[in-house]
């Protein structure tokens, strides 16, 4: 996923990757540097380790979030991994949800996606 981001200096951003009420991974809170109309990129990888109902199925989620800040051309990056082997369920339909939440209301804080690509490999 890629898109645009703006952030007020020292605002915190939390990104959650979910399917329904099941959390697959959380990035943050990330202490954001000042960014005005910059770009971000979110890469995610999933590996289903076991199939079945909740308590049997297991999914490993890995991801990294990076963005450009105003102060330099350097990228800021956050990386995470998470294993869910208690509430994930492969016996029902799963819809991928990605949300972003700021810790404060500020007109400089914004994020939206422009491109999202999902690939499924067997």
């Amino acid at each position: 996923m890629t898109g645009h981001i703006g952030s007020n200096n020292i605002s915190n951003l939390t990104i959650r990757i979910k399917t329904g009420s099941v959390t697959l991974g959380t990035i943050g809170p990330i202490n954001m540097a000042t960014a005005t109309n910059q770009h971000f990129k979110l890469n995610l990888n999933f590996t289903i380790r076991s199939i079945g109902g909740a308590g049997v199925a297991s999914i490993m989620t890995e991801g990294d979030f990076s963005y450009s800040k105003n102060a330099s051309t350097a990228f800021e990056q956050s990386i995470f991994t998470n294993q869910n082997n208690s509430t994930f369920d492969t016996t029902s339909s799963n819809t991928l949800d990605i949300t972003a939440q700021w810790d404060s209301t500020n007109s400089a804080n914004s994020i939206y996606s422009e491109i999202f690509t999902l690939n499924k490999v067997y």
Side-chain angles (χ1 to χ4, degrees), residues 14-35:
T14 301
I15 298 173
R16 292 179 182 85
I17 299 90
K18 300 173 81 175
T19 177
S21 63
V22 175
T23 300
L24 302 176
T26 302
I27 304 171
I30 306 163
N31 189 292
M32 303 289 291
T34 301

Side-chain angles (χ1 to χ4, degrees), residues 83-121:
Q83 181 175 351
N84 182 317
N85 57 8
S86 58
T87 57
F88 182 64
D89 182 352
T90 63
T91 64
S92 61
S93 295
N94 287 286
T95 301
L96 182 64
D97 294 312
I98 301 171
T99 63
Q101 181 179 6
W102 297 95
D103 70 340
S104 63
T105 302
N106 186 299
S107 61
N109 294 338
S110 66
I111 186 170
Y112 65 91
S113 64
E114 291 183 306
I115 300 171
F116 179 86
T117 304
L118 180 63
N119 295 313
K120 186 175 182 179
V121 179

Side-chain angles (χ1 to χ4, degrees), residues 28-41:
I30 306 163
N31 189 292
M32 303 289 291
T34 301
T36 307
N37 198 28
Q38 298 291 338
H39 293 93
F40 79 88
K41 188 166 192 164

